[in-house]
Amino acid sequence: MPEGPSIVMLRDAAEVFACRRVLSVAGNSSQDIARLQGKVLREVRSWGKHFLLGFGGFAVRIHFGLFGSWRIDEESHRPPRLRLEFTRGRSLAFYACSVRFIDHPLDEVYDWSVDVMSPEWDAKAARARLRRQPAALVADALLDQSLFAGVGNIIKNEVLHRIRVHPESRIGALPPRKLAQLVEQAREYSFDFLRWKQAFVLRKHWQVHAKTHCPRDGARLCYRKHLGKAQRRAFWCATCQKIYR
């Protein structure tokens, strides 16, 4: 599943289509994608894992789920969910994803302050929201898009290792300093993720995700295929990541 930094990369790459007219529309989406024919793409935005195409009066939301992908000016052997042909022979296509129309202003639909990569990210508000969920596991809290929009499983595992917190720790048991680190690193690591992915070295920087030994102390890492309410893969070091109950 593409995480927030990957969607930011797509957003930046797709900026080239802003102010261009859609010349043709294709795809196997069940939505009324024909309404995009002839429309001018006014803006390209992102919120967490949502990619947003604004057409003035309405927008299209793309969510890639576990297996979605995109292509810019490229063909794929797979049938597209949505393919847009623009002027100058340019194209933007999405595969194995969810396509939905949004008929309200995006600023009314989305709270940009919970997007960890947004300039409007509000760390203070994030800490307050976390304190209202004291029984939540830190692993589940990081994956909660209403708290940390854009954070996915890789970021979750790496952030918890970075701040030395066990994924089954409870939010309410974290010392204030650890709670602050959790919020701070959710954003900081997301920008590290973006920088490494842009340089094609993301995997080289993984410390615990999909690894077997802790680079900090050499201990064999613990692994859980399904952890917490989110039931996502977890990797952690029982030696250096403390559990707070």
Side-chain angles (χ1 to χ4, degrees), residues 37-69:
Q37 182 76 42
K39 296 294 191 296
V40 174
L41 178 61
R42 300 296 182 184
E43 60 177 349
V44 180
R45 303 178 75 175
S46 67
W47 179 88
K49 301 177 184 180
H50 294 190
F51 179 62
L52 305 164
L53 299 169
F55 287 90
F58 70 93
V60 175
R61 186 211 77 181
I62 306 292
H63 190 282
F64 294 96
L66 289 174
F67 306 109
S69 63

Side-chain angles (χ1 to χ4, degrees), residues 163-199:
I163 67 173
R164 299 173 180 252
V165 171
H166 190 290
E168 293 181 301
S169 297
R170 300 285 176 179
I171 290 294
L174 291 181
R177 182 173 62 88
K178 285 298 178 184
L179 187 73
Q181 288 178 349
L182 183 74
V183 172
E184 175 187 312
Q185 289 302 318
R187 179 173 170 83
E188 185 169 319
Y189 187 87
S190 294
F191 279 96
D192 287 341
F193 184 120
L194 174 62
R195 176 167 52 86
W196 293 329
K197 191 171 179 65
Q198 289 172 329

Side-chain angles (χ1 to χ4, degrees), residues 43-98:
E43 60 177 349
V44 180
R45 303 178 75 175
S46 67
W47 179 88
K49 301 177 184 180
H50 294 190
F51 179 62
L52 305 164
L53 299 169
F55 287 90
F58 70 93
V60 175
R61 186 211 77 181
I62 306 292
H63 190 282
F64 294 96
L66 289 174
F67 306 109
S69 63
W70 61 85
R71 296 285 189 277
I72 294 178
D73 299 333
E74 292 182 16
E75 298 290 340
S76 172
H77 67 279
R78 295 180 298 168
R81 187 77 77 234
L82 174 65
R83 181 180 175 84
L84 303 175
E85 294 280 350
F86 292 88
T87 54
R88 301 180 186 176
R90 306 297 302 273
S91 66
L92 181 59
F94 307 99
Y95 304 86
C97 61
S98 167

Side-chain angles (χ1 to χ4, degrees), residues 132-151:
R132 291 195 289 269
Q133 301 185 32
L137 297 184
V138 293
D140 285 330
L142 278 170
L143 293 177
D144 185 338
Q145 299 302 290
S146 69
L147 297 172
F148 298 101
V151 169

